[in-house]
Amino acid sequence: MSGHSKWSTIKRKKGAADAKRGALFGKLSRAITVAAKEGGGDPEMNPNLSLAVQKAKDANMPNDNIDRAIAKGTGSGSDGSEYEAITYEGYAPGGVAVLVDVLTDNRNRTASDVRFIFTKNGGKLGTSGSVAYMFDRKGVIMVPADGLDEDELMLVALDTGAEDVVRENDYFRVTTEATDFMAVRQGLAEAGITCEDASLSMEPQNTVDLDASTAKQTLRLIDALEENDDVQEVFANFDVSEEVMAEVAG
């Protein structure tokens, strides 16, 4: 079992809990606002906005919230906050490479917060370019496996441009080039195939195997980063055995 993939599953469940208390909605709104500001308020003409809106809908974010976030980005809303996208790079315990995508209206505050989180949890913030080369931008679509014919999924996914389809416990993981992501997702939807989670991701080229102690430290760091309001996504290149993940979860 891939610890990285297991962590992705944990994050989806965690995301659902966050949505109930509003934390996730705030981050999704911010992403929509920035996408609308940079590329316009029409999702059909702005692929980044289309993706941000789809992620919000996947999290059951109300349409009114989505519309308000778009309005802020196009200048017709009341919030004049200026957000910028920044990616921080660093290392978690065990030499795990970590990428942290943020949207912030205060670069100095966020840099200080991220550095503190890394240091407090046994990691180290690096310089720009220190770990980004270890990852590739990919589209990742998680499809529930229950009742789904693998051959049918494989045929539809590959015909619409997917790179690979892999079974991971209760899910099929469909991987695409970033440029083919929306087309593959649309193709699956048109074929009646349910996508539980779909996003652009930074996929590691290689992974670092962790023991239970180091895995706990790494996950603690990642959780702390994700709890920061400015952090949108966290990507890491760790791997653990099934036995170690069971020990960590316990």
Side-chain angles (χ1 to χ4, degrees):
M1 169 189 285
S2 167
H4 185 78
S5 300
K6 179 64 175 178
W7 170 46
S8 298
T9 302
I10 293 171
K11 284 210 299 181
R12 286 197 299 277
K13 296 177 180 177
K14 179 177 178 293
D18 283 346
K20 293 179 182 179
R21 60 180 181 264
L24 182 60
F25 284 1
K27 295 187 178 189
L28 292 169
S29 293
R30 190 177 297 191
I32 291 171
T33 296
V34 171
K37 178 181 178 182
E38 293 178 346
D42 184 355
E44 293 187 4
M45 301 297 292
N46 183 346
N48 289 334
L49 178 59
S50 178
L51 175 59
V53 169
Q54 188 59 59
K55 288 182 69 175
K57 290 182 176 180
D58 289 345
N60 296 317
M61 185 170 166
N63 287 332
D64 286 348
N65 294 41
I66 294 173
D67 292 340
R68 282 197 296 271
I70 293 175
K72 291 177 184 178
T74 56
S76 57
S78 59
D79 188 343
S81 298
E82 294 287 336
Y83 296 113
E84 65 174 320
I86 305 172
T87 297
Y88 294 100
E89 305 177 35
Y91 290 93
V96 172
V98 182
L99 292 177
V100 186
D101 286 345
V102 308
L103 289 175
T104 178
D105 57 358
N106 188 324
R107 173 188 284 260
N108 291 335
R109 179 200 66 220
T110 303
S112 177
D113 288 348
V114 171
R115 184 180 300 278
F116 175 77
I117 292 170
F118 268 95
T119 302
K120 181 181 179 181
N121 292 280
K124 181 179 180 180
L125 188 62
T127 58
S128 178
S130 58
V131 303
Y133 69 92
M134 303 179 189
F135 296 80
D136 295 316
R137 191 73 164 170
K138 298 288 185 180
V140 177
I141 303 169
M142 302 302 292
V143 179
D146 187 31
L148 182 62
D149 182 84
E150 182 173 359
D151 290 337
E152 177 187 356
L153 172 62
M154 184 77 72
L155 180 63
V156 173
L158 296 182
D159 279 350
T160 53
E163 284 187 331
D164 197 15
V165 179
V166 178
R167 177 71 180 261
E168 293 184 352
N169 295 325
D170 298 331
Y171 294 88
F172 289 106
R173 180 184 179 91
V174 181
T175 306
T176 78
E177 286 289 350
T179 52
D180 297 327
F181 169 69
M182 294 301 290
V184 174
R185 175 169 183 148
Q186 182 177 349
L188 294 176
E190 291 175 350
I193 297 173
T194 301
C195 303
E196 183 170 306
D197 184 78
S199 63
L200 289 174
S201 174
M202 296 299 290
E203 294 293 288
Q205 298 168 0
N206 297 288
T207 54
V208 178
D209 292 326
L210 301 180
D211 58 24
S213 175
T214 310
K216 288 179 180 179
Q217 289 179 299
T218 297
L219 289 170
R220 190 181 303 119
L221 168 60
I222 291 169
D223 284 344
L225 287 167
E226 290 185 330
E227 288 170 3
N228 183 276
D229 289 341
D230 295 332
V231 173
Q232 291 286 308
E233 296 279 358
V234 181
F235 307 102
N237 70 339
F238 67 91
D239 218 27
V240 297
S241 67
E242 185 174 355
E243 293 76 16
V244 168
M245 183 55 72
E247 184 177 344
V248 170

